[in-house]
Amino acid sequence: MTPNESKLVTELAPIIQRQLPQGLFLCVGGGTPNTMTIGWGSVGIFWGRPVFTVPVRPQRFTFPLIQKARSFIVGIPEEGGLLEERKRAGTWSGRDGDKFQRLGFETAKGRVVDAPAIKACRYQIECVVKVVVDLTDGNTSPDIVSAMYPARDFHTLFMGEVVACYETER
Ligand SMILES: Cc1cc2nc3c(=O)[nH]c(=O)nc-3n(C[C@H](O)[C@H](O)[C@H](O)COP(=O)(O)O)c2cc1C
């Protein structure tokens, strides 16, 4: 990453935090590229480098894709933009057809990772997965388990080192 890209990751942190409740686009490549909405996540520092952590439930079509690809791109829309698309990408499944096409999204190739970047998003954060953490009854506080996982449908956390961060060329 260039110093400008590192600076942009830091500048995007509060924007990411503000936008997560409406969702960001998690894009994964491989044989069947797909996108899904994430409403949780964080950008921070681990091992002296910027890391974006995304939570994905095993039932998602995206799950085996990200496990295999071990990389992803997070697309960040303009604030207040693409609200319908964020809902649809968080309701429709890639099992039922090409979600990019159904959403009317043009994509570009990732600059570093093999994943699609949604051109309609203002910023792209490309990541390479370094650590995968399965939340379980054993490692999750009981209050979180009863509030968030009564059906024991725990998330898996994919911690991706940020390898590129840029404003989308239009
Ligand atoms: C606002 C919003 C936030 C969401 N956040 C997450 C999330 O953080 N992790 C997750 O696994 N699913 C989350 N979902 C649900 C998935 O986006 C949804 O199940 C999607 O249809 C999965 O697509 P796929 O089957 O193509 O992978 C969210 C949905 C919405 C609408």
Side-chain angles (χ1 to χ4, degrees):
M1 281 222 293
T2 64
N4 275 348
E5 285 181 288
S6 299
K7 188 166 161 266
L8 184 57
V9 179
T10 309
E11 288 167 1
L12 287 179
I15 295 173
I16 288 163
Q17 230 172 341
R18 271 202 303 277
Q19 294 225 47
L20 271 167
Q22 292 83 49
L24 302 176
F25 295 98
L26 170 65
C27 299
V28 182
T32 322
N34 192 43
T35 186
M36 65 167 254
T37 306
I38 50 164
W40 295 349
S42 65
V43 68
I45 305 291
F46 275 94
W47 316 295
R49 48 190 100 173
V51 169
F52 203 127
T53 302
V54 295
V56 183
R57 283 193 157 105
Q59 310 88 286
R60 310 297 184 229
F61 182 69
T62 305
F63 188 82
L65 305 182
I66 192 171
Q67 263 190 326
K68 183 152 184 252
R70 292 193 69 90
S71 63
F72 58 88
I73 300 181
V74 177
I76 304 164
E78 290 288 356
E79 293 201 46
L82 303 179
L83 294 179
E84 269 314 304
E85 289 84 350
R86 300 190 213 199
K87 279 189 211 146
R88 289 185 187 137
T91 318
W92 295 346
S93 178
R95 289 184 190 95
D96 303 321
D98 183 334
K99 228 191 275 187
F100 296 107
Q101 207 171 29
R102 294 175 75 199
L103 290 164
F105 279 159
E106 269 188 68
T107 57
K109 281 188 175 180
R111 288 188 185 172
V112 177
V113 307
D114 177 20
I118 296 169
K119 283 192 184 177
C121 287
R122 174 144 185 211
Y123 300 103
Q124 312 292 340
I125 302 192
E126 300 194 8
C127 303
V128 173
V129 173
K130 295 290 167 176
V131 173
V132 180
V133 184
D134 292 321
L135 299 188
T136 65
D137 260 322
N139 66 16
T140 308
S141 168
D143 62 310
I144 298 293
V145 174
S146 59
M148 297 294 160
Y149 304 108
R152 301 297 190 271
D153 53 347
F154 292 101
H155 285 98
T156 294
L157 307 181
F158 292 88
M159 303 180 72
E161 178 179 351
V162 178
V163 292
C165 177
Y166 52 93
E167 197 161 349
T168 312
E169 280 172 37
R170 312 239 173 151

